[in-house]
């Protein structure tokens, strides 16, 4: 078991299952509706916990029933939520529309509370094998830089939007973008710390580019999609698990990450499935 640090959003998702594709100007019927715990921080933290890691989570929730429900769910998965701030006001409850092809559309109603989190300090990250950042506030650059400088933590981060101009990380992850564009922006943000950029491409799999020029591409794992919500978060957990605890080379770590993502899309939930417990040790070839 390794220690992992996760920084990201915490939501109570309102999910509506549609009876057809989402069409502008159309009228839809719902096949079902539910509220469930989600958010990038929660999804990745739970996936890493299922993979056998000791996870500490940083984020923020509101002082309401939704926030208390999220904290209870995290506790049930054994996640250390001492880094989760409690803020006045409501917990974000984004609307997620899932169509008949399992594709999801996220509509954010409230401002993410993750931009109001309390960042970890260097002492919080001592002994941490892997760190994942999926919240976008400039205050996180300092603890990221401290973790990079300590040379004992693999720092992985989602590619941030402008105006963030400093984002020290070893691995930068993005979705649906040209890997060459991601590499150029990631190098500008991370400087000499950067080793790899990883771009997820949905049903086509994933691509990784090394700063030295190597390119790795793997296909998506077979899956019968039910709900794509949280697939990217599960993918990231598989990648971090593969690169740290299992010390896999990038091609095999990507393959494992794709299996984590495939398990998530076969599961009608925002949080990942229990199946990740067995996938964490799965053989991904030589």
């Amino acid at each position: 078991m390794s220690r992992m640090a996760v920084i990201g959003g915490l939501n109570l998702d309102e999910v509506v299952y549609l009876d057809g594709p989402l069409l502008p100007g159309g009228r839809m019927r719902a096949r079902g509706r539910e509220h469930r715990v989600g958010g990038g921080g929660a999804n990745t933290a739970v996936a890493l916990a299922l993979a056998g890691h000791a996870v500490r989570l940083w984020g923020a929730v509101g002082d309401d029933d939704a926030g208390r429900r999220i904290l209870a769910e995290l506790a049930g998965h054994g996640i250390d939520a001492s880094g989760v701030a409690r803020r006045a006001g409501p917990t974000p409850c984004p609307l997620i529309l899932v169509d008949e092809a399992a594709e999801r559309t996220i509509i954010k109603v409230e401002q993410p509370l993750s931009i109001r989190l309390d960042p970890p300090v260097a002492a919080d990250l001592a002994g941490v094998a892997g760190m994942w950042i999926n919240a976008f506030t400039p205050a996180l650059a300092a603890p990221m830089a401290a973790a990079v400088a300590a040379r004992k933590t693999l720092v992985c981060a989602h590619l941030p939007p402008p105006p963030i101009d400093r984002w020290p990380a070893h691995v930068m992850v993005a979705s649906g973008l040209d890997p060459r564009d991601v590499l150029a922006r990631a190098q500008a943000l991370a400087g000499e710390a950067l080793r790899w950029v990883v771009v997820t491409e949905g049903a086509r799999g994933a691509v990784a580019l090394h700063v030295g020029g190597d390119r790795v591409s793997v296909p998506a794992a077979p899956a019968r999609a039910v709900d794509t919500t949280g697939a990217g978060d599960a993918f990231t957990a598989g990648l971090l698990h593969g690169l740290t605890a299992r010390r896999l080379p990038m091609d095999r770590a990507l393959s494992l990450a794709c299996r984590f993502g495939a398990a998530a899309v076969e599961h009608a939930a925002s949080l990942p499935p229990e199946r990740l417990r067995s996938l964490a040790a799965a053989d991904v070839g030589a």
Side-chain angles (χ1 to χ4, degrees):
M1 177 185 290
S2 300
R3 292 181 58 200
M4 298 289 183
V6 175
I7 305 172
L10 306 170
N11 305 325
L12 186 65
D13 297 337
E14 181 180 357
V15 183
V16 177
Y17 294 94
L18 304 177
D19 65 351
L22 189 62
L23 298 173
R27 292 191 177 188
M28 312 295 302
R29 295 190 68 86
R31 294 180 287 117
R33 182 177 182 178
E34 64 177 336
H35 287 83
R36 64 196 194 195
V37 173
N43 298 343
T44 302
V46 169
L48 286 168
L50 290 170
H53 300 291
V55 183
R56 186 174 179 188
L57 177 62
W58 280 264
V61 296
D63 58 350
D64 55 6
D65 288 343
R68 288 183 282 274
R69 176 175 169 181
I70 291 169
L71 293 174
E73 183 85 31
L74 294 171
H77 285 278
I79 293 167
D80 178 356
S82 59
V84 176
R86 284 70 161 176
R87 301 300 188 210
T91 297
C93 295
L95 178 63
I96 299 180
L97 307 178
V98 181
D99 68 19
E100 61 180 359
E103 288 297 333
R104 59 98 176 99
T105 300
I106 300 177
I107 303 170
K108 295 183 178 180
V109 181
E110 302 92 356
Q111 182 83 346
L113 282 180
S114 56
I115 63 173
R116 297 170 55 199
L117 56 75
D118 297 321
V121 298
D124 294 326
L125 303 175
V128 169
M131 180 180 182
W132 169 244
I133 302 94
N134 191 12
F136 307 121
T137 171
L140 291 172
M144 292 168 70
V148 167
R151 300 187 177 185
K152 293 185 178 180
T153 302
L154 182 68
V155 180
C156 299
H158 198 289
L159 185 73
I164 290 175
D165 59 5
R166 179 171 176 254
W167 211 238
H170 301 116
V171 181
M172 205 85 78
V173 181
S175 178
L177 301 174
D178 186 320
R180 293 166 297 181
D181 294 340
V182 175
L183 180 60
R185 171 139 172 83
Q187 286 179 308
L189 291 166
E192 294 183 356
L194 188 71
R195 301 175 193 168
W196 290 93
V197 297
V198 173
V199 178
T200 60
E201 298 183 322
R204 291 182 295 165
V207 175
L209 289 184
H210 190 267
V211 293
D214 290 343
R215 179 187 176 100
V216 176
S217 179
V218 300
R224 183 177 180 275
V226 174
D227 183 344
T228 58
T229 308
D233 305 319
F235 173 96
T236 300
L239 180 67
L240 192 56
H241 171 68
L243 293 174
T244 57
R246 295 191 55 179
R247 300 183 181 275
L248 297 174
M250 181 54 79
D251 59 340
R252 293 169 63 192
L254 278 184
S255 292
L256 182 62
C258 285
R259 293 190 189 187
F260 272 51
V265 304
E266 292 184 328
H267 182 57
S270 297
L271 296 178
E274 287 284 327
R275 183 182 164 205
L276 295 193
R277 293 188 190 275
S278 58
L279 281 179
D283 181 10
V284 286

